[in-house]
Amino acid sequence: MRFVLRFFGFLFSVGAIFFLIGAVGLAYGFWFYSKDLPDHAQLANYEPPVMTRIHASDGSLIAEYARERRLYVPIQAVPKLVIGAFLSAEDKNFYKHMGVDPEGLVRAVVANLRSGGAREQGASTITQQVAKNFLVGNERSYERKIREALIALRMESTFSKDKILELYLNEIFLGTLTPGRNLHGIAAAALDYFGKSIHELTIAEAAYIAALPKGPNNYHPFRQRKAAIDRRNWVIDRMAANGYISKEDAEAAQKEPLNVKPRVVSPNSIASGYFAEGVRRDIAERYGEETLYEGGLLIRSTLDPKMQAMARKALVDGLVRFDEARGWRGAQQKIDLAGREWGLALAEVSSLGDVQPWRLAVVLEVAGGRAKIGLQPKREASGQVGKDRETGLVTADGVKWTRRPVERAVSVGDVVYVEPLADKQGQFRLRQIPEISGAIVAMDPNTGRVHAMVGGFSYDQSEFNRAVQAMRQPGSSFKPIVYATALDNGYTPSNQIMDSPFVLDMGPGQAAWAPSNYDGKSGGLRTLRYGVEHSKNLMTVRLANEVGMPAISEYARRFGVYDDLLPLLSMSLGAGETTVMRMTAAYSMFANGGRRIKPTLIDQIQDRNGRTLYRHDDRKCNGCDAEKWDGGAAPKLTETREQVLDPLTAYQITSILEGVVQRGTAQTVKAVGKPLAGKTGTTNDAKDVWFVGFSPDLAVGVFLGYDTPKSLGNAATAGQYAAPVFRDFMQMALKDKPATPFRVPAGIKLIRVNAATGTRAGGEGGGTILEAFKPGQSPPEYVPPEPSAEEVPQAEYTPAPPPGGQRAVGAGPSGLY
């Protein structure tokens, strides 16, 4: 008996020792594998990367930026059908286990033993799959599995089951349907695979997405279609077995085709490349690259998609109009079609994706005054070239602009761009990529919200944004800043300036500076209005000399045209360099009554949780939070913008710029038929042509020029090339808008004057106009000529005295001629 007791005592001691050793080993192992694991605080604060989305002002999507394409959806917003599909496919015991599923582990071991390792089956729970995101690498090892299990246990003690499932459904990788678009999370997958939100998914669609986590490439909807359907149907079976759907619904869903329809790129995205890139740069500068690509920002931009399309069309048409007038340069390239299927050969040629309706084509035959062309096939979501082959014809109508017959314009194997002829089915017009480039910006002059911005012919061709990155000379479009400086300092539109030769001595050994008017002529005393309307260089230089370049430099800074303009007289003619965006913003300040605006592409930025990080309009509304109206005054927005120009001066220069359209260098713009103001700008040798103008509610800047500056032609002017782009855009943008006149501010007196002399209208004859004067200002009086017995002289007038009682500008020696 004693022996038996000793024996059992020995066994107990040995067992205790082994238990202690095991416990110590287990504790050491737990310590060893847990020492580098993230703590509870890290787990509680974990947020998966989420893509940033940019929306237009109407809510439509224009761009997405992400390293992992993911839209975060809270678990409360996930349909039960989708949850049932994923639990059935991945972890049916999710709501029962504590992070590691013993039942699933045993099932996986048995299955692996039966298969002899040929088909290794995993036993990771949903919690363990989420835990992988806290580990470095995804190598298969026991150490990683142990760490994964420990993190899973820790997660279960940190998060609720719903939170873990939320992380999983938003984190899981679900394939790459379109090259470059790695999909993470159910919302992104639903959009890319089926073009739907998760709430719109059918049983079959939800089951297919739930089938993907095990191996998206193994169940690719195009390359592995049968395997994809088999796996989907297996998930549907599990959903029925687990009670998420009925047997009848399961049978019906299994009979459905896969119905994967890759997401179509929004037309807004195609037309808005330059705009979206501008927003991307802004966000990266504000918050950094990591927040941009992983922070899940929701950005409401100022883009008006319709206006953007109009701006792009107007600019492209203007560039093409200029380019085609210089003749046909030949095919983009040539390919050898001998022994090759033309569709596959053409598919290898890179094409611009944002020049619709232009398409790339190859010439297949040329005979009888026509060319048969093959259009570049579209690529499927799998990346393979589609089987459809489209052909068309280029006839004499399609090459008329080349001034060549079809046989001399193209030959077999030529790769060219073509555009469908709207009135002739199956026929196309020959096109070529313009060598000249340019930009157009359209903004709200009252807020600085940029409605449209196009920085070149094609963003796919060149990402260089000529609206904000190209520093070019604005030429005569800068002159209104000079005249606004004078008007803001006491001059009137009827003051007269001598339009006569001007010579500036540049010092010993240097040639004198002697500017001239565009037409090489001069015309004596003229009004300030005339000097702007007809863009007189000599008058502008004389006025700048009289007002002083330091003052003009200060106004240029106030308007944001230049940061620090050199106070040289040549700068008064627009010799400095600036951007289209800056010039458009400056003219906006004429339109809005002289208040400073800051151009913006962004209205509002929100973080992934909906918290507002930025809002462009920071004005306060006093009384807007009232629960009801008590019959008192309406709430008012507090005005915080700086007044950079007297509102009366702003109207005077606006009225003068209306004259540029009505009587001056931009009469082509009259065709719009609405009140418009603006100014042309042509630089030396016509290397740059501009038109910047506005209606009461829309300011627009246009620039055309070669990227490497060179002359557009000896006779080229902004009135010929830039103003028509402005005209075409405004005709579209203002088509359904009323003809709203510019608002006349209180204090302005409109007095009828002689259009030529600026004197008060009397009996001298000639055309008259209504001129704008500030309080205390008036036009000079008309002085009738004294009759003579021998001859009747021309009518004379008395020039208006300049501010401060000085002599008329240019009426006598000034020391600079």
Side-chain angles (χ1 to χ4, degrees):
M1 186 68 179
R2 184 178 295 177
F3 173 77
V4 173
L5 291 174
R6 282 182 176 180
F7 178 74
F8 278 108
F10 173 77
L11 287 180
F12 178 78
S13 299
V14 171
I17 292 171
F18 276 106
F19 176 79
L20 183 60
I21 293 173
V24 171
L26 187 63
Y28 174 78
F30 185 84
W31 171 82
F32 179 81
Y33 289 112
S34 299
K35 61 182 179 180
D36 296 326
L37 296 182
D39 60 25
H40 287 66
Q42 287 177 291
L43 293 173
N45 296 327
Y46 171 69
E47 291 181 329
V50 179
M51 67 179 165
T52 289
R53 311 185 89 201
I54 302 173
H55 295 268
S57 59
D58 65 355
S60 59
L61 183 69
I62 60 173
E64 297 171 326
Y65 296 102
R67 295 189 178 98
E68 298 176 354
R69 304 191 70 78
R70 179 186 290 106
L71 297 172
Y72 201 88
V73 182
I75 192 65
Q76 296 83 357
V78 180
K80 286 183 169 51
L81 178 68
V82 175
I83 291 175
F86 275 88
L87 294 184
S88 297
E90 294 295 312
D91 189 357
K92 69 174 184 177
N93 295 324
F94 173 71
Y95 280 98
K96 299 176 182 177
H97 60 65
M98 294 300 295
V100 178
D101 185 9
E103 178 186 334
L105 183 62
V106 171
R107 186 170 59 248
V109 170
V110 172
N112 291 335
L113 289 173
R114 286 178 176 175
S115 67
R119 290 185 59 187
E120 188 175 340
Q121 181 173 324
S124 292
T125 64
I126 281 177
T127 311
Q128 286 175 277
Q129 292 184 57
V130 175
K132 288 181 184 179
N133 294 289
F134 297 99
L135 301 174
V136 178
N138 286 317
E139 78 283 357
R140 291 191 175 189
S141 68
Y142 287 111
E143 180 180 341
R144 188 190 66 79
K145 293 296 289 183
I146 292 171
R147 289 165 59 82
E148 179 185 291
L150 292 174
I151 293 177
L153 293 171
R154 185 171 289 184
M155 289 185 70
E156 291 278 352
S157 66
T158 303
F159 295 130
S160 67
K161 284 288 189 179
D162 283 349
K163 184 62 178 178
I164 294 171
L165 185 59
E166 178 182 298
L167 288 171
Y168 171 77
L169 293 175
N170 287 285
E171 178 76 27
I172 193 69
F173 174 62
L174 293 170
T176 305
L177 182 60
T178 304
R181 294 170 66 91
N182 295 327
L183 303 174
H184 290 260
I186 54 175
L191 281 174
D192 264 42
Y193 282 107
F194 299 107
K196 295 181 176 181
S197 74
I198 55 175
H199 302 88
E200 299 172 305
L201 295 176
T202 65
I203 292 173
E205 292 165 348
Y208 174 68
I209 292 175
L212 293 171
K214 279 289 185 285
N217 288 333
N218 297 333
Y219 308 114
H220 193 279
F222 304 119
R223 295 193 294 267
Q224 304 290 343
R225 195 173 190 83
K226 184 178 184 305
I229 293 174
D230 290 345
R231 176 70 179 174
R232 180 203 68 177
N233 290 347
W234 177 84
V235 174
I236 293 173
D237 279 336
R238 295 298 88 211
M239 292 174 70
N242 293 329
Y244 293 109
I245 58 175
S246 69
K247 186 176 180 181
E248 293 74 21
D249 287 342
E251 290 175 353
Q254 288 176 330
K255 293 177 183 178
E256 293 181 18
L258 209 50
N259 282 335
V260 170
K261 298 176 182 177
R263 187 180 181 190
V264 177
V265 178
S266 166
N268 294 343
S269 299
I270 295 173
S272 307
Y274 288 106
F275 194 101
E277 174 61 12
V279 176
R280 190 200 69 78
R281 286 174 178 268
D282 191 332
I283 297 300
E285 289 176 6
R286 289 173 189 261
Y287 305 110
E289 296 280 338
E290 183 175 348
T291 299
L292 170 65
Y293 289 102
E294 299 181 4
L297 300 179
L298 179 63
I299 301 162
R300 177 60 66 95
S301 76
T302 60
L303 179 78
D304 181 324
K306 293 181 180 178
M307 208 171 284
Q308 177 73 14
M310 295 172 187
R312 186 179 178 280
K313 175 173 173 51
L315 179 65
V316 167
D317 287 352
L319 297 176
V320 169
R321 188 162 51 235
F322 177 90
D323 188 72
E324 289 188 352
R326 276 133 191 86
W328 169 241
R329 294 189 301 276
Q332 294 285 121
Q333 66 180 80
K334 200 174 187 72
I335 57 177
D336 185 3
L337 298 178
R340 303 181 69 191
E341 200 276 317
W342 67 262
L344 294 177
L346 185 58
E348 295 175 358
V349 180
S350 61
S351 60
L352 302 178
D354 60 349
V355 294
Q356 289 86 341
W358 292 20
R359 294 182 64 180
L360 203 64
V362 61
V363 178
L364 303 176
E365 300 174 10
V366 180
R370 58 175 54 189
K372 181 181 178 182
I373 57 172
L375 301 172
Q376 189 173 60
K378 299 177 181 178
R379 288 189 176 273
E380 297 176 348
S382 62
Q384 301 298 312
V385 178
K387 296 180 180 180
D388 294 339
R389 296 290 183 266
E390 297 179 69
T391 60
L393 293 174
V394 175
T395 64
D397 288 340
V399 299
K400 186 182 300 182
W401 67 269
T402 69
R403 296 180 290 278
R404 302 181 186 186
V406 173
E407 288 83 355
R408 288 187 54 212
V410 294
S411 59
V412 174
D414 280 356
V415 176
V416 294
Y417 278 99
V418 295
E419 181 181 15
L421 288 173
D423 56 342
K424 296 184 179 179
Q425 184 69 27
Q427 292 192 31
F428 294 80
R429 187 183 193 278
L430 201 60
R431 290 296 197 184
Q432 68 182 2
I433 304 297
E435 290 183 337
I436 191 176
S437 197
I440 182 171
V441 169
M443 73 172 63
D444 182 336
N446 299 299
T447 64
R449 298 174 69 251
V450 177
H451 294 312
M453 177 176 69
V454 185
F457 173 77
S458 163
Y459 181 76
D460 281 359
Q461 179 193 33
S462 168
E463 296 182 11
F464 182 67
N465 189 341
R466 295 151 191 87
V468 294
Q469 293 176 293
M471 300 296 294
R472 306 296 288 242
Q473 294 180 344
S476 295
S477 63
F478 178 72
K479 288 176 181 175
I481 305 294
V482 177
Y483 285 81
T485 304
L487 292 171
D488 211 40
N489 286 278
Y491 288 78
T492 77
S494 285
N495 276 131
Q496 291 140 354
I497 311 293
M498 184 65 75
D499 181 21
S500 62
F502 182 96
V503 179
L504 179 64
D505 184 2
M506 301 300 291
Q510 298 188 59
W513 183 60
S516 62
N517 291 328
Y518 176 78
D519 58 7
K521 301 176 182 178
S522 56
L525 277 171
R526 299 286 191 177
T527 64
L528 264 67
R529 172 181 286 276
Y530 183 90
V532 179
E533 289 183 355
H534 297 276
S535 200
K536 294 299 181 179
N537 292 338
L538 294 174
M539 293 177 66
T540 303
V541 171
R542 287 182 176 279
L543 179 62
N545 182 54
E546 195 73 24
V547 172
M549 280 305 299
I552 292 169
S553 296
E554 170 59 19
Y555 274 79
R557 184 195 63 78
R558 290 188 195 178
F559 279 90
V561 178
Y562 301 110
D563 294 329
D564 189 15
L565 180 66
L566 290 174
L568 305 177
L569 279 177
S570 60
M571 296 298 172
S572 68
L573 301 180
E577 294 181 337
T578 187
T579 67
V580 179
M581 184 69 77
R582 286 188 168 211
M583 287 297 294
T584 308
Y587 275 58
S588 293
M589 296 177 215
F590 296 145
N592 71 21
R595 290 196 179 273
R596 183 188 302 282
I597 61 161
K598 181 180 179 181
T600 182
L601 308 181
I602 299 172
D603 266 338
Q604 182 175 277
I605 304 171
Q606 292 177 303
D607 65 14
R608 66 169 75 202
N609 299 314
R611 182 168 57 94
T612 298
L613 304 178
Y614 166 82
R615 182 181 285 112
H616 173 66
D617 190 347
D618 59 358
R619 293 176 295 173
K620 308 299 182 194
C621 181
N622 299 320
C624 285
D625 56 352
E627 294 183 1
K628 61 179 181 179
W629 183 58
D630 59 5
K636 291 185 178 180
L637 289 171
T638 57
E639 185 58 74
T640 58
R641 295 174 298 174
E642 178 188 355
Q643 192 79 44
V644 299
L645 189 70
D646 185 329
L648 306 185
T649 302
Y651 179 76
Q652 285 181 317
I653 197 69
T654 295
S655 175
I656 290 173
L657 292 176
E658 279 191 276
V660 174
V661 173
Q662 295 302 317
R663 297 172 294 276
T665 58
Q667 295 186 50
T668 184
V669 174
K670 282 198 293 185
V672 177
K674 304 287 173 69
L676 294 171
K679 181 71 182 74
T680 53
T682 306
T683 64
N684 284 345
D685 300 323
K687 292 179 179 177
D688 308 271
V689 291
W690 295 65
F691 189 86
V692 190
F694 51 92
S695 71
D697 298 309
L698 187 62
V700 179
V702 175
F703 152 75
L704 272 67
Y706 291 100
D707 284 342
T708 301
K710 65 178 181 179
S711 177
L712 275 63
N714 293 333
T717 65
Q720 288 177 292
Y721 299 116
V725 174
F726 175 90
R727 175 200 64 204
D728 295 349
F729 171 75
M730 284 300 204
Q731 282 179 328
M732 293 183 280
L734 302 180
K735 179 180 179 182
D736 299 321
K737 306 290 184 183
T740 305
F742 290 100
R743 186 181 68 85
V744 182
I748 282 289
K749 298 179 297 181
L750 296 176
I751 301 174
R752 189 162 294 280
V753 301
N754 182 286
T757 65
T759 59
R760 189 183 293 272
E764 75 279 22
T768 64
I769 59 171
L770 282 175
E771 191 60 271
F773 294 91
K774 299 175 186 176
Q777 294 180 343
S778 61
E781 297 293 334
Y782 168 72
V783 178
E786 295 183 5
S788 168
E790 297 181 359
E791 62 177 324
V792 179
Q794 294 294 318
E796 298 176 355
Y797 59 88
T798 302
Q806 300 174 29
R807 57 182 165 69
V809 179
S814 69
L816 292 173
Y817 286 91

